[in-house]
């Protein structure tokens, strides 16, 4: 949970966008939402668009000023689509994620998003340490508020390594085959394809090298290896019977 990151929305007009932001955050395992003088909140449209992320809405805090919303944050990042006349130090969403997600100090970090129609005002950016940009089409660079929050939260999620948990989960319960088990399989494979007459000795080295490359790429688990060895045994038996 990236709980040191606080999503701060400034004067959001459409309550539906607040709900969509809550949903975008929860998808990325984030839940710290702060609202500065929202036009309408709480609101049925916010709850409807949150679509199951109402817990994020319920815990959202409402503030009278941006200063108050960021008071406990050590780093304040202002998300802006616009090029500013004064150049502010800026990072892309990915750079921000790489820079701050694994920061050992675990500073509280505010991610400040502006109004749908006019973004953040310069006096609000004065409170920010850096600008946060989502790189996109330069001629059409303003994302919908919730879409912008989604991209930023996604980058934080990826940088925090949380996607690895589900990748490992997808692999099933069987452990990956060890180098020794794979070696046993390659010997068995080589023997079998020689027995069935597929492998001629002069080509055996390069064919076996290619076969190793194929199987090493796939990261077999022990159950899968058992199946393959079963097939090899079966084809050897079949071959000797005929
Ligand atoms: N029309 C506004 C943009 C509104 S979009 C303007 O002129 O600034 C609402 C908010 O989403 C913006 O204030 C900003 O915080 C965020 N946002 C939208 N597109 C973005 C982008 N490309 N990079 C960073 N933040 C963006």
């Amino acid at each position: 949970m990236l709980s040191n990151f606080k999503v701060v929305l400034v004067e959001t007009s459409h309550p539906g966008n607040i709900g969509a932001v809550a949903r975008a955050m929860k998808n990325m395992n984030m839940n710290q939402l702060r609202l500065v003088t929202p036009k309408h909140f709480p609101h049925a449209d916010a709850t409807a668009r949150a679509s199951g992320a109402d817990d994020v809405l319920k815990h959202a805090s409402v503030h009278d000023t941006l200063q108050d919303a960021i008071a406990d944050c050590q780093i304040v990042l202002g998300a802006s689509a616009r090029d500013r006349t004064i150049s502010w130090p800026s990072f892309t969403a990915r750079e921000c994620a790489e820079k701050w997600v694994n920061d050992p100090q675990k500073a509280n970090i505010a991610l400040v998003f502006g109004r749908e129609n006019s973004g953040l005002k310069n006096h609000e950016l004065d409170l920010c340490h850096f600008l946060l940009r989502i790189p996109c089409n330069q001629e059409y660079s303003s994302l919908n508020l919730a879409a912008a929050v989604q991209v930023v939260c996604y980058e934080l999620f990826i940088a925090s390594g949380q996607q690895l948990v589900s990748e490992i989960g997808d692999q099933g319960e069987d452990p990956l085959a060890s180098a020794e088990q794979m070696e046993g399989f390659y010997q068995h494979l080589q023997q079998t394809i020689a027995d069935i007459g597929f492998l001629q000795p002069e080509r055996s080295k390069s064919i076996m090298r290619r076969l190793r490359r194929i199987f090493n790429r796939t990261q077999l688990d022990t159950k899968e290896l058992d199946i393959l060895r079963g097939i090899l045994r079966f084809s050897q038996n079949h071959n000797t019977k005929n």
Side-chain angles (χ1 to χ4, degrees), residues 79-82 113-117 119 132 134 136 141-143 148:
S80 175
R82 259 183 294 157
F113 294 84
R115 300 154 187 84
E116 293 96 328
N117 54 3
L132 181 158
I134 298 166
C136 52
S141 63
S142 164
L143 279 72

Side-chain angles (χ1 to χ4, degrees), residues 33 70 84 124 142 144 161 186 188 191 224-225 235-236:
L33 178 59
I70 61 173
R84 305 279 161 170
E124 290 160 342
S142 164
N144 161 268
Y186 292 133
H188 195 171
Q191 189 57 53
E224 292 162 339
L225 200 64
S235 49
Q236 278 179 314

Side-chain angles (χ1 to χ4, degrees), residues 166-182:
S166 61
E167 272 172 21
I168 290 163
D170 286 347
Q171 301 217 335
E173 273 148 34
D174 300 296
L176 291 181
S178 66
E180 190 181 17
Q181 290 167 323
M182 288 306 292

